[in-house]
Amino acid sequence: MKKLSLIFFAGLLLAACKSGQNYQGVTVPVTDRFQQNDPGYSQMISEVKVDTLEFDSTLNIIWFDLFQDPVLDTLVAKALERNQDLLIAAEAIQQAQSALAVQKSQMLPAVGYSAGASRGNFAFNNSIPTSNLFTGFGSLSWELDFWGKFRRLNEAARADILASAEGYRATRLSLVSTVASAYFQLLEYQLSLEISQQTLALRDSMQTIIEARFEKGIIAEIDLNQAQIQTAIAAGSVPIWERLIVQTQNLIRVLTGDIPGSIEAGIPLREQSLDIFIPEVLPMQLLTRRPDVLAAEQGIIAQNAVTGAAKANRLPNISLSGLIGVAGTQFSALGSNGASWNIGASLAGPIFNWGALQRQVDIAESRTRQAILAYERTVLQAYQEVENTLANIRSLKKELIAREAHVVAAVKAQYLSQERYNQGVTSYLEYLESQRQAFDAQLNYAGTKQELLSSYAVLYKALGGGW
């Protein structure tokens, strides 16, 4: 018993030892600001170790303050509560937490029991008179974590929990961005439908006038044919927008956990404010804000811990075991002759396995290097996404100004061409061309404004959300 106690306390002393190296962080390149925030500025590139960074909560503002549309606010809130993809991601966190509990149990003694009943003339390697035999035993086994194998696996399980939590947050950000983008797409389709219906009404009334003039022989048949073509074009665009509206409404309803159906839109696209405040986020802050970057880092931590466990597999395992029980030829007499017991310790380790264990370590180390490369790739892709989105916003703002000027000029030209045609000053082809340009200009304006609003929703996701 004294020797076993010494073994036990020696195990506790060695419990502070862990095979493998602790996670040391990853060094990645960063810049002092995003190029698209200040195109004329020369970026300063440096390197930073990730594990020294902290999350800056001062950047957090309320998401719903961005667009100030009550209907969009309601849709986002409902999606965050009822979306199935988000609920699935939440279940992944629960699974990771349970996996950690299972892993922790490997460090504790395993206690079991067994019981049996038999009849015969042979028991415990001895011949006995034919009789009954009843047994009941309790067992205990405990593999001491001398080399930190189980603690390394606990580290990996904890990292999996954090990665699952970041995956859940990534799903939330993606959901918010997707709902907002789909909502602005719906507003664009509704405005495009309105423009198409107005254009159809205008061309239909003009066709009626052209038909009357043709019947009186004032104009040639080619003018009537041109009027009929333009009316058909406008009529054909109406069902296209109606179809897209239904599909987008159904998409939004599914994203919010509802059965497909119609949606009452809020502020029309024309009236949507572009006075949107975006807090400045530095490239370095992306490393602690974006969930995909944080999840990739947890992947490194988990794989580094698995590598340590693989190294521990090359070392001997020390286990304690115990057994206590009773036996008897009658159930009522169990334990009458005292209890039987056994306690011991065992050591088992590899001697020669053709390098299999070393190859397992090599595989684990290679996967760790892969995780580091995957993290570096995720960081670079994060920079790329932000830069691209900032560039989209800058260019779309300029494009929208030009689109708006185009609409004003095209609508005015359409009006003047109609007046000139009615007075016989110009040809009908000129008027038709001005109609086409006004129609296209209004549709292009709707599309550009939708892209700009959706880009802000994408930027919310690209910068890591939270605000």
Side-chain angles (χ1 to χ4, degrees):
M1 291 297 293
K2 290 182 179 180
K3 292 181 179 179
L4 290 175
S5 299
L6 290 174
I7 294 175
F8 174 77
F9 286 113
L12 294 179
L13 290 174
L14 289 174
C17 300
K18 288 184 183 179
S19 59
Q21 295 182 344
N22 292 329
Y23 174 65
Q24 302 295 324
V26 181
T27 301
V28 293
V30 296
T31 62
D32 56 344
R33 68 180 65 187
F34 290 109
Q35 185 70 23
Q36 293 302 318
N37 278 336
D38 189 358
Y41 180 80
S42 179
Q43 291 176 307
M44 298 293 292
I45 300 177
S46 59
E47 291 188 339
V48 64
K49 181 166 283 191
V50 175
D51 65 341
T52 62
L53 301 177
E54 295 181 357
F55 181 80
D56 186 1
S57 61
T58 60
L59 295 173
N60 291 346
I61 64 173
I62 300 175
W63 145 259
F64 300 130
D65 287 345
L66 286 180
F67 300 107
Q68 301 176 354
D69 187 326
V71 173
L72 177 57
D73 297 352
T74 301
L75 292 174
V76 171
K78 184 182 290 187
L80 292 176
E81 179 183 357
R82 302 174 57 181
N83 180 264
Q84 282 73 29
D85 289 333
L86 192 59
L87 296 176
I88 291 172
E91 290 298 327
I93 299 177
Q94 297 294 326
Q95 295 167 15
Q97 290 174 338
S98 297
L100 175 59
V102 171
Q103 183 55 53
K104 283 184 175 180
S105 69
Q106 301 299 313
M107 298 182 64
L108 303 175
V111 181
Y113 66 91
S114 64
S118 62
R119 178 175 176 80
N121 61 1
F122 185 82
F124 302 112
N125 296 323
N126 292 309
S127 296
I128 60 175
T130 301
S131 63
N132 298 324
L133 178 64
F134 299 94
T135 60
F137 291 94
S139 62
L140 180 146
S141 61
W142 185 11
E143 181 179 343
L144 301 179
D145 193 22
F146 267 80
W147 318 114
K149 177 178 68 174
F150 295 135
R151 280 168 289 150
R152 287 299 187 195
L153 294 176
N154 287 347
E155 287 181 23
R158 281 192 293 269
D160 288 339
I161 291 178
L162 295 177
S164 298
E166 295 301 334
Y168 174 79
R169 196 162 71 87
T171 304
R172 282 177 60 93
L173 291 179
S174 179
L175 179 61
V176 168
S177 179
T178 301
V179 171
S181 297
Y183 180 75
F184 295 132
Q185 194 84 68
L186 175 62
L187 297 183
E188 179 200 349
Y189 293 154
Q190 290 176 336
L191 177 56
S192 298
L193 175 61
E194 179 185 338
I195 294 170
S196 298
Q197 290 172 335
Q198 292 173 350
T199 303
L200 175 60
L202 175 63
R203 292 181 180 180
D204 188 58
S205 62
M206 193 62 188
Q207 180 180 328
T208 302
I209 297 174
I210 295 298
E211 289 174 348
R213 290 181 177 182
F214 172 72
E215 291 173 357
K216 293 180 180 180
I218 300 175
I219 60 173
E221 187 176 3
I222 185 63
D223 287 352
L224 175 60
N225 296 147
Q226 291 291 343
Q228 292 170 337
I229 290 172
Q230 295 303 315
T231 301
I233 291 174
S237 66
V238 170
I240 293 176
W241 301 121
E242 290 176 339
R243 180 170 65 251
L244 291 174
I245 287 172
V246 171
Q247 293 174 352
T248 307
Q249 287 177 331
N250 291 340
L251 170 62
I252 294 174
R253 294 271 294 189
V254 171
L255 288 173
T256 57
D258 284 331
I259 295 176
S262 61
I263 293 174
E264 293 294 333
I267 301 174
L269 185 65
R270 283 195 183 99
E271 301 174 17
Q272 286 284 336
S273 174
L274 294 176
D275 186 19
I276 300 173
F277 169 73
I278 300 296
E280 183 178 0
V281 177
L282 301 177
M284 185 180 298
Q285 292 171 316
L286 281 189
L287 305 182
T288 57
R289 294 185 63 82
R290 280 187 56 127
D292 57 341
V293 174
L294 295 172
E297 184 186 7
Q298 293 303 321
I300 300 175
I301 295 173
Q303 188 54 50
N304 180 73
V306 170
T307 301
K311 292 180 178 180
N313 285 333
R314 299 179 302 174
L315 303 173
N317 298 328
I318 299 178
S319 301
L320 303 178
S321 62
L323 183 70
I324 186 170
V326 292
T329 57
Q330 294 184 5
F331 187 78
S332 59
L334 283 175
S336 59
N337 294 326
S340 301
W341 62 273
N342 178 277
I343 186 170
S346 63
L347 184 146
I351 295 178
F352 188 72
N353 51 36
W354 308 99
L357 293 178
Q358 179 57 47
R359 294 297 174 264
Q360 291 177 1
V361 173
D362 294 341
I363 292 172
E365 289 178 340
S366 176
R367 288 174 177 170
T368 301
R369 292 191 294 271
Q370 282 183 324
I372 293 174
L373 293 171
Y375 175 81
E376 293 173 350
R377 179 189 61 196
T378 303
V379 170
L380 294 178
Q381 289 175 342
Y383 293 156
Q384 178 188 23
E385 185 176 354
V386 174
E387 290 283 10
N388 288 346
T389 308
L390 289 173
N392 288 344
I393 290 176
R394 289 182 64 252
S395 62
L396 286 169
K397 283 182 177 180
K398 296 178 181 179
E399 182 180 345
L400 188 63
I401 294 174
R403 295 291 188 194
E404 192 170 9
H406 186 193
V407 169
V408 173
V411 171
K412 186 174 182 180
Q414 176 184 254
Y415 171 76
L416 294 176
S417 294
Q418 182 178 3
E419 292 296 313
R420 284 162 55 85
Y421 174 73
N422 291 336
Q423 296 175 12
V425 178
T426 187
S427 68
Y428 187 59
L429 288 177
E430 177 186 308
Y431 173 58
L432 291 179
E433 177 62 19
S434 66
Q435 269 192 342
R436 184 191 64 78
Q437 290 188 10
F439 184 46
D440 291 344
Q442 293 178 82
L443 292 180
N444 289 335
Y445 172 81
T448 301
K449 187 164 186 181
Q450 177 272 131
E451 286 187 52
L452 178 55
L453 290 169
S454 295
S455 293
Y456 280 110
V458 173
L459 183 61
Y460 169 81
K461 172 188 172 185
L463 292 178
W467 40 270

